[in-house]
Amino acid sequence: MGESGIVRIELSDEEDDFFYSKSAQSEWCERYSGETLCEVTKEQADFLTEYIGGMSHTNWNGVNTDYKKDFILTEENEEMIKDLHDKFQDCANDWTPEHKGEITDDSVNYNTAEDEGENGLEIVEQEGKLYVKLYVDCVVYEYSDSED
């Protein structure tokens, strides 16, 4: 991150003057965050409500599932949790902050809780469909040409 480019300094043959020109590009990144809704089935919503305290994915920690209570985790339940994480990641990747740069796919994180490290899961019903509210953030790289 920073600025890179070419600076050209020329001595005039006829005068003792220097001519200066520069072409450069600046690069920086910012973290953007927001909310999105991710559609779930009735079966998934019931499972989440009964057993799951929260679900998240971060690029430094991978996927995480917090459980509300002890229960027997069957193969079907494990598959549903995997499918939910995949679905939540897809929804997070589809979320677009207001920016003019590039989002790196590995920087997109989601959490069902508003505050990282906390449990929380909100199921919202809209127009007869069920959604999980996701809190999403990502890193956006922005570039600009130097005007010097």
Side-chain angles (χ1 to χ4, degrees), residues 56-70:
S56 64
H57 170 269
T58 60
N59 53 353
W60 57 88
N61 245 1
V63 296
N64 184 47
T65 305
D66 295 319
Y67 301 99
K68 286 183 178 178
K69 61 183 182 181
D70 291 336

Side-chain angles (χ1 to χ4, degrees), residues 37-54:
L37 296 177
C38 190
E39 188 174 357
V40 293
T41 66
K42 172 85 167 104
E43 178 186 13
Q44 290 170 330
D46 291 344
F47 178 78
L48 289 165
T49 301
E50 185 168 351
Y51 297 109
I52 305 298

Side-chain angles (χ1 to χ4, degrees), residues 53-110:
M55 297 176 78
S56 64
H57 170 269
T58 60
N59 53 353
W60 57 88
N61 245 1
V63 296
N64 184 47
T65 305
D66 295 319
Y67 301 99
K68 286 183 178 178
K69 61 183 182 181
D70 291 336
F71 67 101
I72 297 172
L73 188 61
T74 65
E75 287 182 21
E76 292 83 16
N77 292 345
E78 286 181 332
E79 186 66 29
M80 184 178 297
I81 290 168
K82 181 190 174 308
D83 290 346
L84 284 165
H85 275 295
D86 290 345
K87 181 182 284 200
F88 293 166
Q89 188 65 58
D90 288 344
C91 289
N93 288 339
D94 289 344
W95 174 77
T96 305
E98 291 184 24
H99 68 86
K100 57 183 179 179
E102 297 175 12
I103 299 173
T104 57
D105 287 341
D106 63 346
S107 78
V108 179
N109 303 313
Y110 67 83

